Amino acid sequence: MADITHGVWIKDGKAVDKVFSNGTQVYGRNLIRSSEFDRFWSLPSQTTIVDGYEGHKAVHVDTTGWTSGYIDVQQPIYNADVQFIKPGEWYTMSFYAKGTGSIRTHIYPTVVDTSVGSYTDGVFYNGYVPSDGMRDWTLTNDYVRHSWSFKVKTPFSPTTNTGNMLFRTMAGNSTYASLPKLEQGISATPWTSAPEDVLK
């Protein structure tokens, strides 16, 4: 029997990766640690942590006065020390964003299988998939949830492949990103904390 503790599904004392109801995935374990941006993220000095979506935190980047360049906010998802993803499996990144202009996301640089298409906000796209997972999202004054699903390369090794979940703010934009999630599968289920953030 599984139950939910602080937003994390637990069975036999261990966090569950997925929960289904009537054949539909309703929960996916968040693989990204620290959705409140208080640790594990690379945060350049130009970023600020502010109030975000529904009482949670957001990372804010303002480059509206810039004419060139960008700011990256990122967390490793695969390398010699961190291995949140597995070869040949599908994963979905999701997040809430608002602001002016656009925000760019990447699964960067070498873990995406470019031959199988991808899902953007739940819709399958059987076209070109950039190897770095680049996707631009138009922003509005209100928070909107977005998702992008990708398949991991095979073969796959931490000695030859690395990956980061990355938010990029290009020059001339003001962006807010809140409640990042990375989960196995092609469904963007409701946000939950990573088990590591709530189970001590």
Side-chain angles (χ1 to χ4, degrees):
M1 175 98 177
D3 67 358
I4 193 161
T5 304
H6 302 292
V8 176
W9 282 91
I10 306 295
K11 183 175 182 180
D12 299 328
K14 295 183 180 178
V16 175
D17 287 337
K18 299 180 196 175
V19 174
F20 292 85
S21 175
N22 298 323
T24 301
Q25 185 176 336
V26 295
Y27 164 82
R29 176 180 180 167
N30 193 351
L31 302 170
I32 285 291
R33 301 166 297 173
S34 181
S35 295
E36 305 288 344
F37 299 99
D38 57 349
R39 54 197 174 118
F40 299 116
W41 292 89
S42 171
L43 297 172
S45 60
Q46 299 90 340
T47 63
T48 54
I49 306 302
V50 298
D51 291 335
Y53 184 72
E54 291 191 343
H56 293 276
K57 295 299 181 184
V59 61
H60 173 53
V61 181
D62 187 350
T63 58
T64 52
W66 297 23
T67 56
S68 64
Y70 56 84
I71 299 293
D72 287 343
V73 172
Q74 60 187 313
Q75 182 178 146
I77 61 171
Y78 191 83
N79 58 37
D81 300 316
V82 176
Q83 294 165 21
F84 296 154
I85 57 177
K86 300 174 185 174
E89 297 290 332
W90 282 87
Y91 291 86
T92 297
M93 66 172 292
S94 59
F95 60 97
Y96 289 86
K98 72 172 187 175
T100 57
S102 64
I103 191 169
R104 179 172 290 175
T105 56
H106 290 271
I107 298 295
Y108 176 86
T110 62
V111 300
V112 175
D113 183 340
T114 62
S115 68
V116 296
S118 63
Y119 291 83
T120 300
D121 286 340
V123 177
F124 183 66
Y125 177 67
N126 195 23
Y128 170 71
V129 177
S131 60
D132 62 1
M134 184 185 81
R135 180 72 171 86
D136 287 328
W137 309 91
T138 301
L139 301 174
T140 66
N141 290 330
D142 298 312
Y143 276 108
V144 175
R145 192 176 195 216
H146 295 290
S147 67
W148 189 72
S149 304
F150 64 97
K151 189 175 183 182
V152 178
K153 285 181 178 181
T154 301
F156 193 58
S157 164
T159 60
T160 57
N161 299 102
T162 58
N164 297 275
M165 182 173 171
L166 185 149
F167 296 99
R168 176 169 288 175
T169 303
M170 305 298 293
N173 298 286
S174 177
T175 68
Y176 297 80
S178 190
L179 298 184
K181 185 171 186 177
L182 179 70
E183 60 190 302
Q184 191 172 16
I186 61 170
S187 299
T189 64
W191 175 85
T192 51
S193 296
E196 295 81 1
D197 292 338
V198 297
L199 300 177
K200 305 296 183 195

